[in-house]
Amino acid sequence: MPPTSARVTAVDTHDVRFPTSRDLDGSDAMNPDPDYSAAYVVLRTDAGDGHEGHGFTFTIGRGNEVQTAAIDALRPHLLGRSVTALCADPGTLYRDLTGDSQLRWLGPEKGVMHMAIGAVVNAAWDLAAKRARVPLWRLLADADPEWIVGQVDFRYLTDALTPDEALALLRRRREGLAGRRETLTRRGYPAYTTSPGWLGYDDAKLTRLATRAVADGFRQIKLKVGADLADDVRRCRAARAAVGPDVRIAVDANQRWDVDEAIRWTRALAEFDPYWIEEPTSPDDILGHAAIRRAVAPVKVATGEHAQNRIVVKQLLQAEAVDVVQLDAARVGGVNENLAVLLLAAQYGVPVCPHAGGVGLCELVQHLAMFDYLAVSGTTEDRVIEYVDHLHDHFLDPVVIRDGHYTAPTAPGFSATMRPESIARYTYPDGAYWAAEEGNTTA
Amino acid sequence: MPPTSARVTAVDTHDVRFPTSRDLDGSDAMNPDPDYSAAYVVLRTDAGDGHEGHGFTFTIGRGNEVQTAAIDALRPHLLGRSVTALCADPGTLYRDLTGDSQLRWLGPEKGVMHMAIGAVVNAAWDLAAKRARVPLWRLLADADPEWIVGQVDFRYLTDALTPDEALALLRRRREGLAGRRETLTRRGYPAYTTSPGWLGYDDAKLTRLATRAVADGFRQIKLKVGADLADDVRRCRAARAAVGPDVRIAVDANQRWDVDEAIRWTRALAEFDPYWIEEPTSPDDILGHAAIRRAVAPVKVATGEHAQNRIVVKQLLQAEAVDVVQLDAARVGGVNENLAVLLLAAQYGVPVCPHAGGVGLCELVQHLAMFDYLAVSGTTEDRVIEYVDHLHDHFLDPVVIRDGHYTAPTAPGFSATMRPESIARYTYPDGAYWAAEEGNTTA
């Protein structure tokens, strides 16, 4: 039994960048050459149990050092904190961080500072689950509804969802939990794949990867669109030919359009029966999404990976602006704020289909989606987790995809731990990879 | 004549913090102990004309180093840039910065990274006005409408305002320009003062400062509210007694409430005839502001100092959520984005009353408000610039208030230049002030 006097003794940060821009993996209409990166944080303690809390924010390259500096700014809130108290109630840390009045000015609750809070809060949850010797989805699903509600900050939400309403929702969902857990363990959670659809891939690669996705058991794929309409028509046609009429094809514009353009463009792709149009315009434009949704039905509107916080999600739901909420594990204030997102979506009866890909986002979001299935929404109908098949090897407990489904993780924690050798090699700019790169460039 | 081959040669950043928390200046319901700070940037060139571009982001203390790091991340976009091209068209810099796809991920267009862009863009405008030997308000008011429209990024705005509509608006407003300029030069631009109303001040100090404000010619004061209703009732009563029935009293909750609470609290203060309720709830809650506005009329709803970008302002107007737009000079993407804010507000017929105070915000916003009067809205009716009377001495061209009005600046530039000795003394943590403070603390 670790001593209850154990404290957080160190907050290590790492600027880790992977050179993904070389193969146009991850290329889309707004992000032509991302270098998938992580502003990575490790919470260490003197508990003597060998457990660390790992967390990170995902970025796409430049500016990752700013994100790391933002995590560093949170260090005084962490050092000396009781490990037992932190793990018993990560919500207090979350409130202390978002409530720091001076740091709050830098958002509030948005952008670099909020993403830093998310990384640290997620690291605390990783530590809590490791110390409890369970995967995070189980820690959440086993928790009392009262405790879950206590982890949520309802500030600015009560016109849409009160603590009492959230509690009632969670209590109702206790029914059938055992059966859902059995289904989850046996079958996993449905996934869709974006791997075929990057904008930088040619048609042959798109067709080959789409065909393989169906053979691998996926029932939905996603294509990036929005750079050139003629290209998009051609690519959608090729994809539809490859997957047949029954597999869903989502399209993703990555915020490329104004409202009117989004409506025109989406209608021009309608003949290929897109399932949803994702990020048709600015992630800040709640009213814009509502206008687009009214105009492009029955094509669904999806957004959320850049939704800065629960207040934006609340309004997307209030305005009937979205058919699909795409939570992101590492943009908002960590697990605590994503509990609010899951509860809001359930309150409005809108499915959550998490955003993933990047670095380690698949590893994180699976826990949230599985908790959603078990204890919040109670269903996987019309729900899928995004899957992209790169960079998983850098994690100690990478996701396991089987027949188009995420397998429920069994290792304790939040699946967030990156291999030490990957951190060392890809640390920017001094890790072995980048140091050699610099040598090549200047040679 | 400086050579046209002149380039930007250096981007200096400074973490400057003033110990304002000691006297509770600036204290409100969300920000009990701010240390007013600036993440300060200086653009230097090899033009040999002695001109530098100065800009900054305002923060309230902790995290100012993160803001400075974000400005540092923009340096590669600036070094080597042609000074002539930069000053002839700051809009290209603004678009290059907001369009950097990797940095954009850290927002997009919000929070720390966007505020950094604002600081740098404002520094470019300061340089442009200095080189043109005119105060910024004049540079803007003298510019062709076509050029002004070209400085605005209409992305995500065209469902509310198109470039053609903006151009027509600016052209209509050429009429009467000479007369307005004469009025501005003679009379200045009306101000209101927040100096009496900080939450940390006792009733005697509030009464004394409110009385003096009226004697000094102000026709509006502002009180911080939202911590305790009984206190607010007592303070509003004291303020109303001090200023009489004809001077406007605005109240400011600094985001303290949920929607229902904002409505109840504002109604409870109605007997003191508040002119507007400012920041009643989250700055992200467009629909919340709209609900509050419907419920508390005829009390007006004001917000904007934390509106992260033009897309939020657009929606506040579309949703009829505000009676007053409170632009902030240093939160959005600089002058360029504030041109969009002014044009949007004019399109919807909603007055702009800029947020000021902090460090140097009064110095900046006066230029934007004066341009608004001359060339966009064409009126000062129901329009006032916030005024707070501290920290002006640290600037080379501090604002001049006369009979409750901002006097039109005459010095070239954006009034953004902080005294070198102030920068040196208050640089954190190594400047003389903080080094001594550290010595005292550890002694």
Side-chain angles (χ1 to χ4, degrees):
Chain A
M1 194 65 189
T4 56
S5 62
R7 304 282 160 180
V8 176
T9 53
V11 179
D12 303 329
T13 53
H14 305 275
D15 178 347
V16 184
R17 308 191 190 190
F18 298 99
T20 47
S21 60
R22 304 190 143 201
D23 299 317
L24 299 181
D25 298 339
S27 55
D28 65 50
M30 290 295 264
N31 308 295
D33 57 351
D35 281 329
Y36 282 0
S37 302
Y40 197 86
V41 59
V42 181
L43 306 182
R44 287 189 286 128
T45 82
D46 59 6
D49 56 6
H51 294 309
E52 299 171 338
H54 289 236
F56 53 87
T57 297
F58 168 57
T59 83
I60 62 173
R62 284 185 295 280
N64 202 47
E65 77 282 11
V66 180
Q67 194 59 61
T68 309
I71 297 174
D72 288 335
L74 301 173
R75 188 172 283 116
H77 281 284
L78 290 152
L79 292 179
R81 200 173 271 261
S82 155
V83 174
T84 312
L86 177 63
C87 293
D89 174 25
T92 293
L93 173 67
Y94 163 66
R95 284 189 175 83
D96 287 350
L97 296 178
T98 57
D100 180 314
S101 64
Q102 295 190 358
L103 295 178
R104 189 177 184 278
W105 190 269
L106 300 174
E109 299 188 67
K110 61 179 67 73
V112 166
M113 206 66 236
H114 201 49
M115 291 158 72
I117 290 172
V120 166
V121 168
N122 281 345
W125 283 92
D126 180 58
L127 181 63
K130 283 172 175 167
R131 285 170 54 95
R133 301 174 209 278
V134 291
L136 180 69
W137 65 266
R138 263 193 56 193
L139 184 150
L140 292 170
D142 289 345
D144 286 336
E146 290 76 4
W147 185 84
I148 294 288
V149 169
Q151 293 299 305
V152 173
D153 183 359
F154 285 89
R155 175 172 265 190
Y156 304 136
L157 296 188
T158 56
D159 55 325
L161 179 70
T162 65
D164 284 348
E165 290 168 338
L167 187 58
L169 193 155
L170 289 168
R171 283 183 176 155
R172 280 198 304 277
R173 207 60 79 206
R174 303 300 281 189
E175 194 180 331
L177 177 59
R180 289 194 296 278
R181 180 177 296 207
E182 191 279 323
T183 303
L184 177 67
T185 307
R186 180 172 43 80
R187 183 71 178 117
Y189 194 106
Y192 75 94
T193 178
T194 307
S195 293
W198 301 111
L199 212 56
Y201 290 177
D202 64 28
D203 290 5
K205 188 168 184 178
L206 162 63
T207 296
R208 178 164 46 82
L209 293 175
T211 305
R212 195 168 81 196
V214 177
D216 287 346
F218 291 101
R219 305 300 296 162
Q220 178 175 327
I221 65 167
K222 189 163 80 184
L223 264 58
K224 300 293 182 174
V225 298
D228 180 277
L229 181 55
D231 283 350
D232 289 348
V233 167
R234 199 189 68 250
R235 295 169 70 252
C236 283
R237 179 172 288 123
R240 181 54 77 200
V243 304
D246 298 332
V247 169
R248 288 173 175 172
I249 300 178
V251 296
D252 182 357
N254 289 89
Q255 315 169 18
R256 183 62 184 252
W257 302 315
D258 280 26
V259 171
D260 293 346
E261 193 178 16
I263 293 168
R264 281 199 308 276
W265 204 302
T266 304
R267 286 177 173 166
L269 299 178
E271 62 173 305
F272 308 109
D273 190 22
Y275 181 61
W276 75 52
I277 173 67
E278 178 172 334
E279 288 205 307
T281 191
S282 164
D284 306 340
D285 199 347
I286 293 144
L287 302 178
H289 279 87
I292 293 164
R293 181 170 178 263
R294 286 192 297 271
V296 304
V299 179
K300 297 179 187 297
V301 168
T303 197
E305 72 178 84
H306 279 85
Q308 65 207 29
N309 58 36
R310 69 198 182 282
I311 304 151
V312 169
V313 173
K314 176 189 79 166
Q315 293 175 86
L316 288 167
L317 294 164
Q318 288 175 317
E320 301 183 2
V322 287
D323 300 284
V324 176
V325 171
Q326 300 180 296
L327 71 74
D328 184 284
R331 184 165 290 275
V332 300
V335 171
N336 298 81
E337 191 157 24
N338 270 322
L339 294 176
V341 170
L342 292 174
L343 288 163
L344 282 164
Q347 176 80 350
Y348 282 81
V350 172
V352 173
C353 298
H355 168 246
V359 177
L361 298 181
C362 298
E363 278 67 22
L364 297 185
V365 291
Q366 60 181 341
H367 292 272
L368 302 172
M370 290 173 188
F371 166 67
D372 181 49
Y373 169 52
L374 295 176
V376 187
S377 73
T379 177
T380 58
E381 193 181 336
D382 289 335
R383 285 158 172 87
V384 274
I385 305 172
E386 185 167 19
Y387 174 66
V388 187
D389 65 356
H390 43 215
L391 303 177
H392 300 290
D393 293 350
H394 298 293
F395 287 84
L396 278 184
D397 302 304
V399 295
V400 177
I401 304 292
R402 205 173 53 201
D403 190 27
H405 286 65
Y406 278 78
T407 303
T410 54
F414 201 175
S415 308
T417 307
M418 200 180 281
R419 292 181 179 281
E421 60 272 27
S422 293
I423 293 176
R425 178 166 167 73
Y426 291 102
T427 288
Y428 184 89
D430 298 325
Y433 177 86
W434 293 108
E437 189 74 358
E438 176 68 15
N440 291 339
T441 306
T442 57
Chain B
M1 190 68 186
T4 56
S5 62
R7 304 282 160 179
V8 175
T9 54
V11 179
D12 302 330
T13 54
H14 306 274
D15 178 348
V16 184
R17 308 190 190 189
F18 298 99
T20 47
S21 60
R22 304 190 143 202
D23 299 318
L24 299 181
D25 297 339
S27 54
D28 64 49
M30 289 294 264
N31 308 295
D33 57 351
D35 281 329
Y36 281 0
S37 303
Y40 197 85
V41 59
V42 180
L43 305 182
R44 288 189 286 128
T45 82
D46 59 6
D49 57 5
H51 295 310
E52 298 171 338
H54 289 235
F56 53 86
T57 298
F58 168 58
T59 82
I60 62 173
R62 283 185 295 279
N64 202 47
E65 77 283 11
V66 180
Q67 193 59 60
T68 309
I71 298 174
D72 288 335
L74 301 173
R75 188 171 283 116
H77 281 284
L78 290 152
L79 293 178
R81 200 173 271 261
S82 156
V83 174
T84 313
L86 177 63
C87 292
D89 173 24
T92 293
L93 173 67
Y94 163 66
R95 283 189 176 82
D96 288 350
L97 296 178
T98 58
D100 180 313
S101 64
Q102 295 190 358
L103 294 178
R104 189 177 184 280
W105 190 269
L106 300 174
E109 299 187 65
K110 62 180 63 75
V112 166
M113 205 67 237
H114 200 49
M115 290 157 73
I117 289 172
V120 165
V121 167
N122 282 344
W125 283 93
D126 180 59
L127 180 64
K130 284 173 176 167
R131 284 169 55 95
R133 300 175 211 279
V134 291
L136 180 70
W137 65 266
R138 264 193 56 194
L139 184 149
L140 292 170
D142 289 344
D144 287 335
E146 290 77 3
W147 185 84
I148 294 287
V149 169
Q151 292 299 307
V152 174
D153 183 358
F154 286 88
R155 174 172 266 190
Y156 305 136
L157 296 188
T158 55
D159 55 325
L161 179 69
T162 66
D164 284 348
E165 289 167 340
L167 187 58
L169 193 156
L170 289 168
R171 282 183 176 153
R172 281 198 304 277
R173 207 61 79 205
R174 304 300 279 187
E175 194 180 329
L177 177 58
R180 289 195 295 278
R181 181 177 296 208
E182 191 279 323
T183 303
L184 178 67
T185 307
R186 178 171 44 79
R187 184 71 177 117
Y189 194 106
Y192 76 93
T193 178
T194 306
S195 294
W198 300 111
L199 212 55
Y201 291 177
D202 63 30
D203 290 3
K205 187 167 184 179
L206 162 63
T207 296
R208 178 163 45 83
L209 292 175
T211 305
R212 193 168 82 195
V214 177
D216 287 347
F218 292 101
R219 305 298 299 161
Q220 177 175 328
I221 66 168
K222 190 164 79 184
L223 264 57
K224 300 293 183 174
V225 298
D228 180 278
L229 181 55
D231 283 350
D232 290 347
V233 167
R234 198 190 67 249
R235 295 169 69 253
C236 283
R237 179 172 288 124
R240 181 54 77 198
V243 304
D246 298 331
V247 169
R248 289 174 174 171
I249 301 177
V251 296
D252 183 355
N254 290 87
Q255 315 169 20
R256 184 62 184 251
W257 302 316
D258 280 24
V259 171
D260 293 346
E261 194 178 17
I263 293 168
R264 280 198 310 274
W265 204 301
T266 304
R267 286 177 173 166
L269 299 178
E271 62 173 304
F272 307 108
D273 190 22
Y275 182 61
W276 74 50
I277 173 64
E278 178 172 334
E279 288 204 305
T281 190
S282 164
D284 306 341
D285 198 347
I286 294 144
L287 302 179
H289 279 86
I292 294 165
R293 181 170 178 263
R294 286 191 298 271
V296 303
V299 178
K300 297 178 188 296
V301 169
T303 196
E305 72 177 86
H306 278 85
Q308 64 206 31
N309 58 35
R310 70 198 182 283
I311 304 152
V312 169
V313 173
K314 176 187 79 164
Q315 294 176 84
L316 287 168
L317 294 164
Q318 288 175 317
E320 301 184 2
V322 287
D323 300 284
V324 176
V325 171
Q326 300 181 294
L327 71 71
D328 183 285
R331 184 165 290 276
V332 301
V335 171
N336 298 82
E337 192 158 23
N338 270 322
L339 294 176
V341 170
L342 292 174
L343 288 164
L344 281 164
Q347 175 80 350
Y348 282 81
V350 172
V352 173
C353 298
H355 168 245
V359 177
L361 297 181
C362 298
E363 277 67 23
L364 298 185
V365 292
Q366 59 181 339
H367 292 272
L368 302 173
M370 290 174 188
F371 166 67
D372 182 50
Y373 169 52
L374 294 176
V376 187
S377 73
T379 177
T380 57
E381 193 181 335
D382 289 335
R383 284 158 173 86
V384 274
I385 305 172
E386 184 167 20
Y387 174 65
V388 187
D389 65 356
H390 43 214
L391 303 178
H392 300 289
D393 293 349
H394 298 294
F395 287 85
L396 278 184
D397 302 305
V399 296
V400 177
I401 304 292
R402 207 173 52 201
D403 190 27
H405 287 65
Y406 277 80
T407 303
T410 54
F414 200 175
S415 309
T417 306
M418 200 181 280
R419 293 183 179 280
E421 60 272 26
S422 293
I423 294 177
R425 177 166 169 73
Y426 291 101
T427 288
Y428 185 88
D430 298 325
Y433 177 85
W434 294 108
E437 188 74 1
E438 177 69 16
N440 291 338
T441 305
T442 56

